[in-house]
Amino acid sequence: METVAGITRSFLGQPWRWRALSADARVPGFRPDDLVTQLLLARGVAREAIEANRTPSIRGFMPDPSIFNDMDKAARRLADAVVAGEQVTVFGDYDVDGATSAALMIRLLRDLGLRPQAYIPDRLMEGYGPSGEALVRIASGGAQLIVTVDCGAQAFEALDMAREAGVDVIVVDHHKCAAALPHAHALVNPNRLDEGDGAAHGHLAAVGVAFLLGAALLRELRARSFFDGRAEPRLLDLLDLVALGTVADVAQLKGLNRAFVAQGLKVMAQRRNVGLAALVEASRLTRAPTCSDLGFALGPRINAGGRVGRADLGVRLLTTEDRDEARTIAAELDRLNEERRAIESIVQEQAESLPHGNAVAVVSGQGWHPGVIGIVAGRLKEKLGIPTIVIALDEAGVGKGSGRSITGVDLGAAVLAAKEIGLLAAGGGHAMAAGLTIDADRIPEFAAFLEERLAANVARAREDRALLVDALLAPGGVTPDLCETMESGGPYGMGWPAPRVAAGPFRIVRVDVVGNGHVRAIVAGDDGRSLKAMAFRSADTPLGQTLLQAPRDRKLWLVGRPKIDDWASRPAAELHLDDAAWAD
């Protein structure tokens, strides 16, 4: 495959290749597409679907909810509860996807006249997912229907106990399922192994599945003439929650998910949800949130409640109508997020010092805070380039683990397989992330199991490693107009990568270390046009060290993601670096 700017080995030891090189470009008389079309084609969009993907809409991508197993059954049971005025409890997970899923169901049921309750388990005391004790306790408190969101697909014992207690449970989940399913009144999950057409939507976050259930519920109530003489809730007004949960759960931004996020950002900009508006304010955002803000500013603050604070803070924030309460909770989540960062830094430093496997890194530590191990696993995965699982051990020798994977390696399936052969007390997840519970003495055997099972897949994924580039620019080509044009091909995220450009050749005018190990370089081309380039958290990496030591008279190519720097008096473009290479 043709390399970009002839780079076969960069500062990070990788070739630069075109994300996609259209065969049309080799046809005589070919006229290049506009930049946004090129970006869409390079992300796998068929030419006939370009316009639908250029402006992704819910109408253009929304499936009939009935294609999913148990969806109609779940909608009928929920409709019965609405008509009869039953007591419903929504049982959610403690992360952003769980909080947004629970908030969506609660707000919708509230608009339909119910007074639903929320139950979010404590991460440290109760662990992930529904326990039988919790479900029975909820039933004894008067709940006639329990809806679990972002959890429940593996809750066999808990759902049996709920059934014995006489309470119906609807499971709304997206995590991988085993061949056998737990006994629930309805189990809606596009990743059921017996799923038909709905399996095409297996990339949805749980909040996306909850939105589809909401659509099915409203349709069922409409068929029962429930809205004769009363207003029907606007489900689309809840898309801000769907966007936040989808991005924060690192779901692939393709198809329906792109429409969820694109339209959800528009709803969020209107600040209808007072809790989200308070969170935006606490995050010190002075403009409408972007897709990146959902993942790096808002999501971590919602997560902080479940990680190091009270697990229900996120749901309370997203469901309150009291502006003063919203500001109080948002400020508390902001404080907890700072606390989380400090804890995370300590755990990461200790985890990085431990030995690990060649194909999969499995590290564990006594006393590590279970609330930050997922973030640390993600950091280590990025640094090592291999799937990583970080396990926090308690005083009784029981480990809670969280894992993150690389593209092309299904970690969730591997964890589920380890559970089925008895290596894990509990476990599950999806391709890119997984969670587990394990006895300390089984960790070496578990690590060996993963090494053997995933080594070939990891090797293939790493052999295919190349930095994929969308455009090659002259030094003056990185401009605010370019940034705005490229942004219109979004939203960008997992499965829909943000555009990456190569630019140069440049010479370094000035380079230094700023902040927490970030390398900042001012570079200039032969045309005299200068550009600021940032290599984040790279001061001790080959990229950062080479930039810091580069001769001022030697030219180089830079590759990264163009961004608008709006801190100056007028907007300017800068390049967030992924790599660099010598130009001669």
Side-chain angles (χ1 to χ4, degrees), residues 255-340:
L256 181 58
N257 277 347
R258 287 194 68 235
F260 279 154
V261 176
Q263 301 305 318
L265 285 170
K266 295 178 183 178
V267 175
M268 193 176 296
Q270 298 170 13
R271 300 200 171 195
R272 295 176 180 173
N273 186 308
V274 298
L276 272 177
L279 191 65
V280 169
E281 183 179 332
S283 303
R284 291 165 285 283
L285 294 175
T286 58
R287 46 165 171 74
T290 65
C291 189
S292 178
D293 294 327
L294 303 188
F296 295 102
L298 306 185
R301 285 170 170 80
I302 294 288
N303 258 333
R307 293 186 188 281
V308 297
R310 295 206 312 278
D312 66 342
L313 284 177
V315 173
R316 285 178 53 202
L317 176 72
L318 298 176
T319 56
T320 186
E321 299 294 346
D322 185 312
R323 295 184 184 278
D324 290 336
E325 181 185 26
R327 292 191 185 98
T328 299
I329 297 175
E332 176 68 0
L333 288 172
D334 187 55
R335 184 191 68 78
L336 290 170
N337 191 49
E338 291 301 317
E339 182 180 332
R340 183 270 306 168

Side-chain angles (χ1 to χ4, degrees), residues 352-377:
E352 286 181 352
S353 68
L354 298 175
H356 56 78
N358 294 320
V360 182
V362 179
V363 294
S364 60
Q366 192 78 34
W368 288 353
H369 197 299
V372 303
I373 56 177
I375 301 173
V376 173

Side-chain angles (χ1 to χ4, degrees), residues 365-421:
Q366 192 78 34
W368 288 353
H369 197 299
V372 303
I373 56 177
I375 301 173
V376 173
R379 298 269 192 223
L380 287 180
K381 182 261 295 186
E382 291 298 325
K383 187 170 185 176
L384 301 173
I386 58 177
T388 300
I389 293 178
V390 178
I391 302 171
L393 297 172
D394 64 17
E395 295 179 354
V398 176
K400 299 289 185 181
S402 186
R404 299 293 184 268
S405 194
I406 61 176
T407 301
V409 180
D410 191 335
L411 185 61
V415 166
L416 195 59
K419 177 192 172 188
E420 291 176 345
I421 64 172

Side-chain angles (χ1 to χ4, degrees), residues 54 73 97 107 315 373 429 477 490 532 549:
R54 190 185 294 269
K73 187 177 182 182
D97 193 17
R107 294 181 75 95
V315 173
I373 56 177
K532 182 171 78 172
Q549 299 170 21

Side-chain angles (χ1 to χ4, degrees), residues 13 23 58 60 66 118 122-123 131 153 179 183 209 211 221 251 299 331 408 425 459 491 573-574:
I58 302 300
S66 295
D122 182 272
R123 181 188 292 265
S131 66
H183 295 293
V209 183
F211 181 89
L221 289 171
E574 62 184 28

Side-chain angles (χ1 to χ4, degrees), residues 94-455:
Y94 35 65
D95 69 0
V96 185
D97 193 17
T100 52
S101 300
L104 185 148
M105 294 303 305
I106 288 169
R107 294 181 75 95
L108 179 58
L109 293 174
R110 186 191 291 164
D111 287 346
L112 290 169
L114 298 186
R115 294 185 177 180
Q117 303 296 311
Y119 188 100
I120 309 297
D122 182 272
R123 181 188 292 265
L124 299 180
M125 302 300 295
E126 299 178 82
Y128 167 79
S131 66
E133 292 78 9
L135 296 184
V136 171
R137 188 164 59 250
I138 292 170
S140 65
Q144 296 154 285
L145 175 63
I146 299 172
V147 182
T148 73
V149 289
D150 197 29
C151 58
Q154 295 290 321
F156 291 89
E157 182 179 348
L159 293 183
D160 282 343
M161 291 177 66
R163 186 170 60 166
E164 291 173 4
V167 63
D168 289 336
V169 179
I170 294 172
V171 174
V172 181
D173 205 351
H174 71 133
H175 293 99
K176 288 188 176 294
C177 295
L181 297 173
H183 295 293
H185 181 85
L187 196 156
V188 184
N189 184 336
N191 288 305
R192 286 174 53 153
L193 296 182
D194 61 347
E195 192 60 73
D197 293 340
H201 299 277
H203 60 288
L204 293 179
V207 70
V209 183
F211 181 89
L212 294 175
L213 176 57
L217 170 60
L218 294 181
R219 184 174 61 185
E220 175 67 22
L221 289 171
R222 210 176 296 127
R224 299 187 189 191
S225 301
F226 181 79
F227 299 114
D228 290 356
R230 64 182 297 165
E232 179 175 333
R234 278 183 51 82
L235 187 62
L236 295 180
D237 287 349
L238 301 177
L239 282 173
D240 49 3
L241 296 172
V242 183
L244 176 57
T246 297
V247 173
D249 211 51
V250 202
Q252 290 192 25
L253 296 191
K254 63 180 183 180
L256 181 58
N257 277 347
R258 287 194 68 235
F260 279 154
V261 176
Q263 301 305 318
L265 285 170
K266 295 178 183 178
V267 175
M268 193 176 296
Q270 298 170 13
R271 300 200 171 195
R272 295 176 180 173
N273 186 308
V274 298
L276 272 177
L279 191 65
V280 169
E281 183 179 332
S283 303
R284 291 165 285 283
L285 294 175
T286 58
R287 46 165 171 74
T290 65
C291 189
S292 178
D293 294 327
L294 303 188
F296 295 102
L298 306 185
R301 285 170 170 80
I302 294 288
N303 258 333
R307 293 186 188 281
V308 297
R310 295 206 312 278
D312 66 342
L313 284 177
V315 173
R316 285 178 53 202
L317 176 72
L318 298 176
T319 56
T320 186
E321 299 294 346
D322 185 312
R323 295 184 184 278
D324 290 336
E325 181 185 26
R327 292 191 185 98
T328 299
I329 297 175
E332 176 68 0
L333 288 172
D334 187 55
R335 184 191 68 78
L336 290 170
N337 191 49
E338 291 301 317
E339 182 180 332
R340 183 270 306 168
R341 286 179 176 175
I343 297 171
E344 172 197 327
S345 178
I346 295 171
V347 174
Q348 182 173 341
E349 182 178 352
Q350 294 176 357
E352 286 181 352
S353 68
L354 298 175
H356 56 78
N358 294 320
V360 182
V362 179
V363 294
S364 60
Q366 192 78 34
W368 288 353
H369 197 299
V372 303
I373 56 177
I375 301 173
V376 173
R379 298 269 192 223
L380 287 180
K381 182 261 295 186
E382 291 298 325
K383 187 170 185 176
L384 301 173
I386 58 177
T388 300
I389 293 178
V390 178
I391 302 171
L393 297 172
D394 64 17
E395 295 179 354
V398 176
K400 299 289 185 181
S402 186
R404 299 293 184 268
S405 194
I406 61 176
T407 301
V409 180
D410 191 335
L411 185 61
V415 166
L416 195 59
K419 177 192 172 188
E420 291 176 345
I421 64 172
L423 286 176
L424 305 175
H430 45 80
M432 300 300 291
L436 57 94
T437 302
I438 186 172
D439 291 332
D441 58 2
R442 304 302 297 273
I443 292 176
E445 188 180 356
F446 173 58
F449 171 83
L450 292 181
E451 192 80 14
E452 180 178 357
R453 179 185 174 94
L454 298 179

